Amino acid sequence: IACAHGTQIFASNSGKVIRAEYHYSYGNYVVVDHGGGISTLYAHMSSNAVAVGDYVQAGQLLGYCGLTGNTSGYHLHFETRVNGSTVDPQGYLW
């Protein structure tokens, strides 16, 4: 999802932060566990605004659009996972 540097990134739904770290490809990224085997991942952020163990509400700030990891332009890499497998997020956007 294209975004300008520093654009705020918000949680798509409530849940517990299970990852908030740096990865060589994802850069700064956050994973939120929403329960029921569903999680979302937000990657390439300039910085994370949450930590592992935090409980976030839908719409809560997770971080800021950046250019970290393996990327050639500012964007948010957004994934929806069901039982650990990536799926088309269209059916899971709240």
Side-chain angles (χ1 to χ4, degrees), residues 58-83:
Q60 184 172 332
L61 179 68
L62 298 177
Y64 302 89
C65 184
L67 196 61
T68 61
N70 188 12
T71 183
S72 60
Y74 289 102
H75 72 283
L76 169 66
H77 177 102
F78 176 79
E79 288 182 12
T80 299
R81 297 176 176 178
V82 176
N83 297 320

Side-chain angles (χ1 to χ4, degrees), residues 2-78:
C3 54
H5 176 70
T7 299
Q8 294 179 327
I9 306 299
F10 302 103
S12 64
N13 201 4
S14 301
K16 184 177 181 179
V17 176
I18 59 171
R19 295 254 191 265
E21 57 197 30
Y22 184 87
H23 181 272
Y24 77 94
S25 183
Y26 286 137
N28 292 317
Y29 78 106
V30 168
V31 177
V32 178
D33 180 359
H34 304 290
I38 300 171
S39 62
T40 49
L41 178 146
Y42 310 78
H44 303 304
M45 295 190 288
S46 62
S47 63
N48 299 339
V50 294
V52 171
D54 289 351
Y55 185 83
V56 296
Q57 298 293 326
Q60 184 172 332
L61 179 68
L62 298 177
Y64 302 89
C65 184
L67 196 61
T68 61
N70 188 12
T71 183
S72 60
Y74 289 102
H75 72 283
L76 169 66
H77 177 102
F78 176 79

